[in-house]
Amino acid sequence: MSKNTQVLIDSLPEGKLSESNYKLVESPMPEASEGEVLVKTIAFAITAGTRAGLQGSASYAGAPQTGIVMNSLGVGEVIAGDNSSFPVGMKVQARTGWQSYSVHKTSELTEIPEGTDPLHYLGPLGINGLTAYFGLLEVGQPKTGETVMVSAAAGSVGHMVGQIAKLKECNVVGVCGTDVKCEKLISDLGFDAAVNYKEANFRQTLKESTPNGVDVYFDNTGGMILGSALFRMNTGGRIACCGVVSQYDTSSPEPGPKGIPGLLVNKRIQMQGFIVFDFASEYETARSEIIKWIDSGKLKILTDEVKGLEAAPTAFVDLLAGGNIGTRIVRLDLE
Ligand SMILES: NC(=O)c1ccc[n+]([C@@H]2O[C@H](COP(=O)([O-])OP(=O)(O)OC[C@H]3O[C@@H](n4cnc5c(N)ncnc54)[C@H](OP(=O)(O)O)[C@@H]3O)[C@@H](O)[C@H]2O)c1
């Protein structure tokens, strides 16, 4: 009988996350009880938000714990269970975590239609793609000709936000941490401008890249980039607060930037946080539109692949340091 290989949270990070916060273990194979199915993991996503879970700052994730499998969205194949809606052989999206096998109630699964690449359910059709879609379109409410700024722009959520904004005929400015990423956003994904926030003259370059100001800021980072964006916002602008990645990998997050609430008042800016789960009833509608964009070549998907469970901790530490371009996934099907 095969074993289940798992990556457990061994200790909670003090300061920055490190590989030593995890341990790889072999556990007995889980078994599906009545109403459950056993899923073999094909791949899972490494996402920035799960660092907030380890920090205790993600309300939906609850208090951080050790000795449990690291949480993540995955895709896999049903390999056992007796459920006609989720038969053996079906590909599903599930919260597999960082492990080779997991057991799920069928109410926790999403069927991946035949003919669709399961890996798309970690990126554009998964949580991050839906976050980009609803955060921009429902919260940001971009209009033709407006300027949309997005931070962590070369990451999983960010690279899709910018392209969806281009589809809505906006002027798009990305902010990210390297010149290579900036170049890719412009030449491969059609962003109008991209600015490296690590450069000393960031604020000045941002100003020059947004000559008409910013109407919608999609904030993945908080911190200094949010502080800079506030000063570029136009009257009546919208800030969609998606996440705070600049403040996750630390035990002492900084306070919010200057300008709140003064600039919000003076410029009548609407600043709204959201959690993608709020839009769960509309996921399938969004997925049909996103699939059309992918099939027509209007939405390019950047995926950054790592092989094998044992590579996951380093892949996560590296993502928080900006090592990824697009959606970082760990593939177990290539082992
Ligand atoms: N609200 C929701 O429902 C929801 C759902 C999903 C995700 N999210 C949020 O979406 C955001 C992006 O998540 P993701 O999974 O797509 O991650 P990601 O953007 O693929 O990866 C994180 C990126 O953050 C950037 N970064 C790291 N430290 C930074 C710092 N100090 N300042 C600025 N940028 C920094 C790095 O790129 P650089 O090279 O550019 O630094 C890194 O590549 C996160 O804030 C996450 O919490 C929210």
Side-chain angles (χ1 to χ4, degrees), residues 46-50 52 60 127-128 131 152-158 175-178 181 197-198 218-221 225 241-248 274-277 318-328:
I46 301 274
T47 54
T50 49
Y60 51 84
I127 288 298
N128 280 354
T131 298
S156 178
V157 172
V175 173
C176 58
T178 70
K181 289 184 180 184
Y197 70 90
K198 291 183 181 163
F218 191 106
D219 186 25
N220 282 317
T221 60
I225 303 172
C241 295
C242 176
V244 197
V245 69
S246 74
Q247 307 301 318
Y248 291 160
F274 71 95
I275 300 283
V276 66
F277 309 141
D318 182 64
L319 174 127
L320 295 167
N324 64 309
I325 295 189
T327 306
R328 177 157 282 179

Side-chain angles (χ1 to χ4, degrees), residues 264-330:
L264 303 185
V265 176
N266 289 329
K267 295 186 178 183
R268 290 78 151 178
I269 294 166
Q270 207 176 326
M271 189 171 188
Q272 186 185 333
F274 71 95
I275 300 283
V276 66
F277 309 141
D278 302 341
F279 301 95
S281 63
E282 297 166 65
Y283 283 178
E284 288 314 319
T285 313
R287 284 189 176 118
S288 349
E289 190 164 19
I290 294 169
I291 288 170
K292 281 187 205 142
W293 289 336
I294 298 172
D295 289 348
S296 62
K298 289 179 180 161
L299 182 67
K300 291 187 186 155
I301 297 311
L302 299 181
T303 307
D304 176 320
E305 293 188 1
V306 174
K307 197 174 116 185
L309 258 180
E310 59 290 344
T314 303
F316 192 21
V317 169
D318 182 64
L319 174 127
L320 295 167
N324 64 309
I325 295 189
T327 306
R328 177 157 282 179
I329 63 173
V330 176

Side-chain angles (χ1 to χ4, degrees), residues 2-287:
S2 31
K3 293 270 184 191
N4 189 16
T5 311
Q6 303 177 307
V7 179
L8 303 186
I9 304 168
D10 195 33
S11 58
L12 296 176
E14 288 175 19
K16 283 191 175 297
L17 183 77
S18 97
E19 286 88 343
S20 65
N21 293 121
Y22 293 99
K23 82 174 167 198
L24 193 71
V25 298
E26 295 283 325
S27 304
M29 189 75 168
E31 284 178 25
S33 307
E34 204 180 330
E36 295 178 332
V37 295
L38 177 63
V39 171
K40 182 176 188 203
T41 310
I42 295 171
F44 54 84
I46 301 274
T47 54
T50 49
R51 179 65 182 86
L54 292 174
Q55 195 184 37
S57 59
S59 57
Y60 51 84
Q65 279 182 58
T66 56
I68 58 168
V69 174
M70 179 62 190
N71 166 49
S72 74
L73 184 74
V75 291
E77 181 174 337
V78 176
I79 57 164
D82 184 19
N83 189 291
S84 54
S85 303
F86 289 90
V88 169
M90 178 181 271
K91 304 283 193 310
V92 291
Q93 181 201 56
R95 294 222 74 89
T96 60
W98 294 6
Q99 58 187 340
S100 344
Y101 298 94
S102 51
V103 159
H104 301 272
K105 292 191 185 110
T106 52
S107 58
E108 296 162 352
L109 301 175
T110 300
E111 176 184 348
I112 300 177
E114 270 199 50
T116 303
D117 181 350
L119 300 183
H120 280 348
Y121 274 73
L122 299 179
L125 305 177
I127 288 298
N128 280 354
L130 296 167
T131 298
Y133 182 96
F134 290 110
L136 180 67
L137 300 181
E138 297 292 329
V139 184
Q141 301 267 340
K143 297 177 187 56
T144 302
E146 287 190 329
T147 296
V148 173
M149 169 180 168
V150 54
S151 52
S156 178
V157 172
H159 85 287
M160 293 186 267
V161 168
Q163 291 183 82
I164 297 171
K166 282 308 299 176
L167 281 163
K168 299 294 167 188
E169 298 179 40
C170 294
N171 182 56
V172 176
V173 181
V175 173
C176 58
T178 70
D179 292 344
V180 170
K181 289 184 180 184
C182 286
E183 176 56 31
K184 201 167 181 66
L185 293 179
I186 296 168
S187 52
D188 294 1
L189 304 186
F191 282 47
D192 298 285
V195 188
N196 182 346
Y197 70 90
K198 291 183 181 163
E199 292 291 339
N201 56 353
F202 165 62
R203 277 180 181 250
Q204 180 59 28
T205 314
L206 180 66
K207 191 174 173 186
E208 287 160 12
S209 304
T210 53
N212 299 321
V214 172
D215 301 291
V216 178
Y217 172 46
F218 191 106
D219 186 25
N220 282 317
T221 60
M224 177 276 284
I225 303 172
L226 169 61
S228 307
L230 277 166
F231 284 87
R232 298 302 306 144
M233 294 303 295
N234 290 328
T235 300
R238 285 83 67 203
I239 300 179
C241 295
C242 176
V244 197
V245 69
S246 74
Q247 307 301 318
Y248 291 160
D249 201 18
T250 172
S251 302
S252 47
E254 292 166 13
K258 283 183 189 165
I260 299 173
L263 283 171
L264 303 185
V265 176
N266 289 329
K267 295 186 178 183
R268 290 78 151 178
I269 294 166
Q270 207 176 326
M271 189 171 188
Q272 186 185 333
F274 71 95
I275 300 283
V276 66
F277 309 141
D278 302 341
F279 301 95
S281 63
E282 297 166 65
Y283 283 178
E284 288 314 319
T285 313
R287 284 189 176 118

